Amino acid sequence: STQAKTLFPYTTLFRSGTLFIGSIGTGEVWKFVPGAQVPTKFIGADTSHKNVTGVFADETGGYLYLCANDFGAPTAGSIQRYKLADGTLDKTYAFGVAAACNDMTFDANGNLFVTDSIGALYKLPAGGAALGAAWSTDAKLASVTAGKYGADGIAFDGTSNLFVTNFEDGKLLRVAINNDGTAGAIDEIVVTPAITRPDGLRYVNATTYLVIENTEPGKLTQLVIDNTAKTAAATVISNALPVLRPARPARCTATSASCTGRPAASVTV
């Protein structure tokens, strides 16, 4: 529809039967309550979140977290926290450096892990007041193609690992969480058949995940992981998903003041 082409619905998330939809096109968040055929606007457009990518609900705490970006200017993104009860803004966590906030997940201890598609992972500790420096800047999190999107979808396995997609490189990564909470080793999980432009990633069980392949048409693919062999078997569930791609202008250039402390990059898809 015309509205869908304007909204560019980027991320969807079910929580207690409610479907939240972030809009990369308008910066809004919409929701479908159980049984509804028409969504209602949950969070309106605002200059502080012109492009919304990942959204994640914390039902225990009563909050919805979202990745707030402005793809029209190379400014630092942020994580915003809204009250699930009424959609009012509760807190903003700034990255402090240029970042392409993409998606997020919680671990079992309530720590929030966030992908930065320039090539990093961030951690907001449970109850933390602010984001610190990047939790991991391992080279595997960035694309090998300069200026392209790296770390994208993210999911927690329920024990001590994160799985992260590298969008442009078509990779699936396993990121260990050390006992002290620091970032551990990052291993590539070799997927067969290979996946292309893997985007959102969602947990089904400890070894089974769903990923969106941002191809044309888009694909919904199931991944079954063998952690010992560091492999995954991919099965396409649907290969007829519509893909709507808004333009993503340069996010970070060599002359951008907001890029201080980060490599210069023009991040596009």
Side-chain angles (χ1 to χ4, degrees), residues 40-174:
T40 57
K41 189 183 296 185
F42 183 63
I43 299 171
D46 189 86
T47 55
S48 69
H49 52 85
K50 291 183 178 180
N51 309 102
V52 173
T53 49
V55 295
F56 207 92
D58 170 18
E59 291 182 284
T60 302
Y63 298 109
L64 182 76
Y65 292 79
L66 64 80
C67 275
N69 294 289
D70 180 359
F71 291 132
T75 55
S78 67
I79 300 167
Q80 294 182 336
R81 187 175 77 180
Y82 290 80
K83 295 179 181 179
L84 280 173
D86 57 15
T88 57
L89 179 63
D90 179 73
K91 191 170 180 61
T92 296
Y93 304 91
F95 284 93
V97 296
C101 183
N102 199 308
D103 209 352
M104 63 194 84
T105 191
F106 283 100
D107 70 3
N109 296 316
N111 302 303
L112 185 68
F113 292 88
V114 185
T115 57
D116 167 13
S117 292
I118 294 175
L121 292 176
Y122 282 81
K123 176 183 175 182
L124 178 64
L131 283 169
W135 183 69
S136 176
T137 56
D138 189 288
K140 297 184 184 72
L141 298 169
S143 173
V144 295
T145 304
K148 296 292 186 177
Y149 265 43
D152 196 312
I154 185 170
F156 176 59
D157 74 347
T159 54
S160 59
N161 295 291
L162 300 167
F163 286 100
V164 176
T165 60
N166 183 310
F167 180 81
E168 189 65 30
D169 297 356
K171 303 293 187 183
L172 177 66
L173 307 173
R174 184 182 64 197

Side-chain angles (χ1 to χ4, degrees), residues 13 18 38 52 109-110 125 134 138 169 183-184 191 209:
L13 178 67
T18 299
V38 178
V52 173
N109 296 316
D138 189 288
D169 297 356
V191 181
Y209 298 81

Side-chain angles (χ1 to χ4, degrees), residues 157-248:
D157 74 347
T159 54
S160 59
N161 295 291
L162 300 167
F163 286 100
V164 176
T165 60
N166 183 310
F167 180 81
E168 189 65 30
D169 297 356
K171 303 293 187 183
L172 177 66
L173 307 173
R174 184 182 64 197
V175 185
I177 303 172
N178 293 330
N179 290 335
D180 63 359
T182 58
I186 297 184
D187 295 309
E188 179 183 346
I189 303 297
V190 178
V191 181
T192 305
I195 49 178
T196 302
R197 298 167 72 92
D199 207 328
L201 185 68
R202 291 293 179 260
Y203 171 96
V204 177
N205 60 48
T207 57
T208 306
Y209 298 81
L210 295 176
V211 64
I212 293 292
E213 295 185 67
N214 203 331
T215 53
E216 294 184 9
K219 299 176 184 177
L220 174 63
T221 301
Q222 176 181 274
L223 303 175
V224 178
I225 297 170
D226 182 331
N227 279 298
T228 301
K230 300 180 185 178
T231 60
T235 303
V236 175
I237 296 174
S238 173
N239 61 358
L241 302 181
V243 175
L244 303 173
R245 292 186 187 145
R248 294 185 183 181

